[in-house]
Amino acid sequence: MEESNLSNIESTRRWTVLENPEAVAEMACKRILAAAVSAIASSGRFKLVLAGGSTPEAVYKRLSKSHADWRCWDFYFGDERCLPADDAERNSVKAVSAWLSHIDIKASQIKVMPAEMGAEVAAQRYDAVIAPVLPFDLVLLGVGEDGHTASLFPGHEHKQAERVHAVYQSPKPPLERVSLSSLSLSCTSQVLVLATGEGKAEAIRLWREGHNVPVSTITAIDRFEVLLDAAAACRSDLNLLPGENGEGKQSC
Ligand code: 6PG
């Protein structure tokens, strides 16, 4: 990618620092609901990619109590752990438990990655699910302490042109996973990345200083925002959103 394009990408990345994880979850909920209204108004559907891990749970719980045109939403997953379909540690089970089982939708709106079939088969099957629907409207992502996102981990090589990767030897259990590729995660109108807690501060610092951590490979067509709390921002040159306790720079 040419230098100018890279600097353009950086310039379109918005970093919003909020006081605490609750404020991040509240803002993420607002951003997702607003993106849905816009997408449904223009296309009739809202194609949302859900994040895994624990950070989004507070967002999903807020959304479970929100009002939206849920029947127009389609739920995809950025990655999935190769565990039995009903395993509590599955990203799909977490999202259904915190949110999707509490709203009025049809099961067919939830596009679960069949990761219980093993990484290779699941990746092939999910490629056929997402290929016809790209681009997404919003991709929600978390960040790992090593700068990974979805199941794109540092040092892991993948075929560039793949839309969905089979992942082995994951440094974050379980070893075997399925992940949308950087290409697919970037094929979206909006990206919203969530990072809370001091454990993410080093990954955020590396990302902002231009190191090639996996999350840094993700771009968006229209809008890319990182929502983080003061703890995750504390090693970076970022200030609290004005009006959020107005204290400006925070320290770890
Ligand atoms: C997973 C996620 C993973 C997660 C980050 C952050 O399967 O765990 O896809 O990429 O988003 O590891 O996890 P936390 O939100 O739990 O810190």
Side-chain angles (χ1 to χ4, degrees):
M1 188 175 283
E2 287 162 32
E3 195 54 41
S4 58
N5 287 358
L6 270 178
S7 55
N8 286 345
I9 289 169
E10 277 314 307
S11 65
T12 58
R13 277 208 180 99
R14 180 174 173 180
W15 301 78
T16 304
V17 183
L18 298 160
E19 200 164 356
N20 53 45
E22 293 71 29
V24 169
E26 188 58 34
M27 182 68 82
C29 180
K30 285 178 186 161
R31 293 282 198 262
I32 292 167
L33 290 171
V37 167
S38 170
I40 292 167
S42 66
S43 76
R45 301 303 296 175
F46 179 50
K47 297 174 283 185
L48 173 64
V49 177
L50 300 184
S54 57
T55 303
E57 185 176 4
V59 184
Y60 297 161
K61 285 185 173 170
R62 276 170 171 75
L63 286 165
S64 73
K65 300 181 181 74
S66 305
H67 296 286
D69 208 347
W70 298 122
R71 286 292 173 111
C72 297
W73 293 45
D74 291 313
F75 304 90
Y76 299 85
F77 292 87
D79 70 330
E80 189 52 277
R81 304 159 181 202
C82 291
L83 296 167
D86 59 354
D87 190 300
E89 285 306 301
R90 288 264 302 226
N91 291 329
S92 54
V93 172
K94 289 169 183 276
V96 168
S97 167
W99 175 20
L100 305 183
S101 58
H102 304 281
I103 57 175
D104 175 25
I105 57 172
K106 294 183 288 187
S108 60
Q109 291 174 247
I110 308 173
K111 318 297 183 182
V112 176
M113 283 183 166
E116 65 282 3
M117 302 178 81
E120 206 58 50
V121 170
Q124 289 164 8
R125 296 275 179 96
Y126 214 66
D127 181 74
V129 169
I130 68 163
V133 300
L134 291 174
F136 298 118
D137 292 305
L138 191 147
V139 168
L140 186 64
L141 291 169
V143 189
E145 298 189 1
D146 59 0
H148 78 257
T149 194
S151 287
L152 305 175
F153 293 100
H156 282 220
E157 297 295 321
H158 295 293
K159 296 188 189 98
Q160 284 298 315
E162 278 185 338
R163 283 185 285 259
V164 190
H165 299 316
V167 176
Y168 303 98
Q169 299 306 313
S170 161
K172 178 175 183 180
L175 289 172
E176 194 169 330
R177 292 162 163 254
V178 190
S179 182
L180 294 193
S181 64
S182 176
L183 192 68
S184 299
L185 292 170
S186 303
C187 190
T188 179
S189 172
Q190 295 189 54
V191 169
L192 192 60
V193 180
L194 308 179
T196 60
E198 194 176 338
K200 307 298 173 75
E202 184 59 9
I204 296 295
R205 181 186 72 80
L206 291 171
W207 182 8
R208 282 188 52 84
E209 290 181 7
H211 293 266
N212 185 29
V213 291
V215 68
S216 70
T217 67
I218 312 300
T219 58
I221 298 166
D222 298 315
R223 190 174 193 275
F224 191 113
E225 183 172 19
V226 184
L227 288 181
L228 62 168
D229 68 355
C234 75
R235 293 189 190 172
S236 302
D237 184 21
L238 287 162
N239 294 318
L240 274 180
L241 193 67
E244 294 287 332
N245 184 23
E247 296 301 314
K249 189 91 183 82
Q250 58 290 319
S251 58
C252 290

